[in-house]
Amino acid sequence: QVQLVESGGDLVQPGGSLRLSCAASGSISSIYAMDWYRQAPGKQRELVAGITRGDTTKYADSVKGRFTISRDNAKNTVYLQMNSLKPEDTAVYYCNADLSVPTMRGEYRKNYWGQGTQVTVSS
């Protein structure tokens, strides 16, 4: 069984910083990519940042220059450092992992989602 657990969401003031963590646990063969998504009320879930196992990164234009995604492969953990936070960053942030798990017939690849962590930016 694979589980993704996010942490670090909080209430912060505009201009503040926050660091989110997402740890993947369970029987995992390979992690191909880990991504951060967010969803604000009334809006579609959107990709915020992503990182591959080769350390290729991508960011939404709205967060580029303010957010930094990183990973610790030994811990199967991805981080999202968020600086210069704005009220429009308020959302539930979800971790997604593109990974494979071992089976009797070989590796099975699919996406897994975390439960989400609330980030609120308000004065």
Side-chain angles (χ1 to χ4, degrees):
Q1 296 180 349
V2 175
Q3 185 178 20
L4 303 182
V5 179
E6 301 103 329
S7 62
D10 206 349
L11 171 65
V12 297
Q13 295 182 347
S17 297
L18 207 58
R19 181 180 172 90
L20 305 183
S21 299
C22 172
S25 62
S27 183
I28 299 170
S29 295
S30 302
I31 298 179
Y32 301 99
M34 298 188 78
D35 306 312
W36 285 100
Y37 289 76
R38 69 184 181 188
Q39 187 167 24
K43 294 186 177 181
Q44 297 281 355
R45 187 173 299 187
E46 64 174 344
L47 177 67
V48 177
I51 186 168
T52 70
R53 63 181 177 181
D55 283 333
T56 300
T57 59
K58 58 185 177 182
Y59 298 93
D61 289 341
S62 59
V63 308
K64 200 168 187 177
R66 299 187 296 120
F67 291 9
T68 303
I69 189 169
S70 61
R71 60 173 173 82
D72 185 337
N73 289 338
K75 298 180 179 180
N76 286 339
T77 299
V78 64
Y79 305 94
L80 186 66
Q81 179 66 47
M82 304 184 294
N83 299 325
S84 302
L85 283 163
K86 305 174 181 179
E88 48 263 46
D89 295 318
T90 296
V92 178
Y93 284 71
Y94 297 91
C95 178
N96 176 273
D98 175 12
L99 56 79
S100 63
V101 299
T103 73
M104 293 296 294
R105 297 182 178 181
E107 294 186 354
Y108 177 63
R109 182 172 175 177
K110 67 172 292 183
N111 285 336
Y112 290 84
W113 290 92
Q115 81 288 347
T117 184
Q118 177 70 50
V119 172
T120 302
V121 184
S122 176
S123 60

